[in-house]
Amino acid sequence: MAFTGTERYVATDELRMAVNAAVTLERPLLVKGEPGTGKTMLAEEVAASLGKRLLRWHVKSTTKAQQGLYEYDAVSRLRDSQLGDEKVYDIKNYIKKGMLWEAFDADEQVVLLIDEIDKADIEFPNDLLVELDKMEFFVYETGERIQAKHRPIIIITSNNEKELPDAFLRRCFFHYINFPDRDTMQQIIDVHYPDIRDDLVHEALEVFFKVRELNSLKKKPSTSELIDWLKLLVADDIPAELLQTPNAKDALPPLYGALLKNEQDVHMLQRLAFMARRDNR
């Protein structure tokens, strides 16, 4: 069974090849790319396409690798011992399974998403090397060795906020999701809004890609932000002509807050529009 994309997700040939190569090699798929290019959604669509259950492990700056294996709640056990609770005699009552344990223990193969791994401490990937390679780990409190019943399909996403260790990279199949070109973006829009007006999409894409071409932008608008912007344009019944001639008062496209996410970029666009109007006098 191979991943071919879904009706809700436009996957390029290179991305489909990367997913299927990782599955064949039984290695984690490390996916990088700009925020908003569909890295997290890829795991959801791979699971849907292959008919497998999806487990999500969303990594934060405070997340430790151990939490993906299990956590031992010594505080609760101490409290229960003081209260005379009988369950204190079975330490397993205080072991909470992590997402890796859940994936290893599943009765059938699952898809495991490790989302935004670069948010965690630099040692986080190194602390998972053996577990991701050997598909097993040891529970010291109970003396158990947990081995994967079925090797999960692991998809790891990164926004490239920090470099990942070489030893970790060697164990992954890597794919970088390039920002969609205009034709691919048109396909993505067709998936989300099959009945949207062609003239509105044409003008919206003109504005969107012109904004992205500005090198001085602090944050370039992403695919997901374009989709949100189009939703607002349709909801407010904005005519396509209004995108051709931005409001003269502020010289910004309507509902620009869906595209621009900080005041520096808003002010910069206003200045550029002002200079363009002055040069055209």
Side-chain angles (χ1 to χ4, degrees):
M1 187 180 297
F3 173 66
T4 57
T6 68
E7 294 180 355
R8 301 188 309 160
Y9 190 87
V10 177
T12 62
D13 291 340
E14 292 81 6
L15 181 55
R16 289 194 291 269
M17 181 200 69
V19 171
N20 292 320
V23 172
T24 300
L25 292 173
E26 296 186 329
R27 290 187 177 275
L29 172 63
L30 174 61
V31 184
K32 290 187 178 182
E34 285 186 34
T37 49
K39 300 185 296 297
T40 299
M41 191 177 179
L42 171 64
E44 299 172 0
E45 298 309 311
V46 168
S49 173
L50 302 182
K52 299 185 183 297
R53 182 162 64 100
L54 174 65
L55 298 178
R56 298 176 176 87
W57 184 13
H58 297 292
V59 178
K60 302 178 181 179
S61 60
T62 56
T63 303
K64 301 299 181 185
Q66 181 64 32
Q67 293 172 296
L69 308 180
Y70 68 92
E71 292 182 272
Y72 169 51
D73 191 350
V75 175
S76 292
R77 192 182 188 200
L78 175 60
R79 184 189 62 239
D80 289 344
S81 67
Q82 293 170 338
L83 296 174
D85 196 319
E86 290 293 323
K87 71 178 185 180
V88 297
Y89 297 108
D90 187 355
I91 197 171
K92 291 183 179 179
N93 291 323
Y94 304 94
I95 301 290
K96 180 182 178 183
K97 294 181 180 180
M99 281 300 168
L100 273 174
W101 191 338
E102 294 280 358
F104 288 2
D105 210 33
D107 290 329
E108 57 185 23
Q109 188 182 48
V110 300
V111 176
L112 173 63
L113 168 65
I114 304 178
D115 200 21
E116 297 188 329
I117 193 171
D118 52 327
K119 278 188 175 181
D121 184 86
I122 189 62
E123 292 303 320
F124 180 94
N126 281 331
D127 291 342
L128 291 176
L129 291 179
V130 174
E131 290 77 12
L132 294 180
D133 195 25
K134 302 297 184 183
M135 287 288 136
E136 64 178 32
F137 64 90
F138 190 74
V139 183
Y140 295 97
E141 288 79 4
T142 63
E144 296 176 273
R145 183 171 298 278
I146 307 300
Q147 295 178 309
K149 296 178 181 178
H150 304 277
R151 195 177 187 100
I153 298 171
I154 300 176
I155 297 177
I156 303 171
T157 71
S158 168
N159 287 328
N160 230 5
E161 293 182 5
K162 61 169 68 83
E163 290 294 325
L164 298 173
D166 289 346
F168 177 80
L169 295 175
R170 283 199 302 271
R171 288 163 168 80
C172 299
F173 189 93
F174 172 75
H175 180 74
Y176 185 88
I177 298 182
N178 291 310
F179 195 83
D181 58 22
R182 191 175 181 119
D183 290 340
T184 304
M185 192 67 81
Q186 180 71 60
Q187 295 177 45
I188 294 171
I189 293 171
D190 290 341
V191 167
H192 288 271
Y193 306 116
D195 300 322
I196 195 171
R197 303 194 316 271
D198 291 340
D199 60 338
L200 181 63
V201 172
H202 175 78
E203 297 302 334
L205 286 177
E206 285 290 322
V207 172
F208 177 76
F209 280 106
K210 282 180 180 177
V211 171
R212 279 192 56 88
E213 287 172 2
L214 299 173
N215 293 326
S216 50
L217 274 186
K218 186 174 182 180
K219 182 195 177 303
K220 294 185 178 183
S222 68
T223 305
S224 61
E225 287 158 346
L226 171 62
I227 298 303
D228 289 344
W229 187 45
L230 284 170
K231 182 177 181 179
L232 292 174
L233 295 177
V234 171
D236 284 11
D237 198 21
I238 301 294
E241 295 77 19
L242 191 58
L243 301 183
Q244 296 174 345
T245 55
N247 188 300
K249 179 180 179 182
D250 56 16
L252 290 171
L255 302 164
Y256 64 85
L259 294 176
L260 305 176
K261 297 304 174 74
N262 61 73
E263 64 277 10
Q264 296 97 314
D265 289 346
V266 172
H267 293 158
M268 187 202 68
L269 219 58
Q270 288 174 326
R271 288 196 301 271
L272 290 175
F274 171 77
M275 290 187 291
R277 289 199 308 272
R278 185 181 61 183
D279 293 342
N280 290 331
R281 287 177 181 174

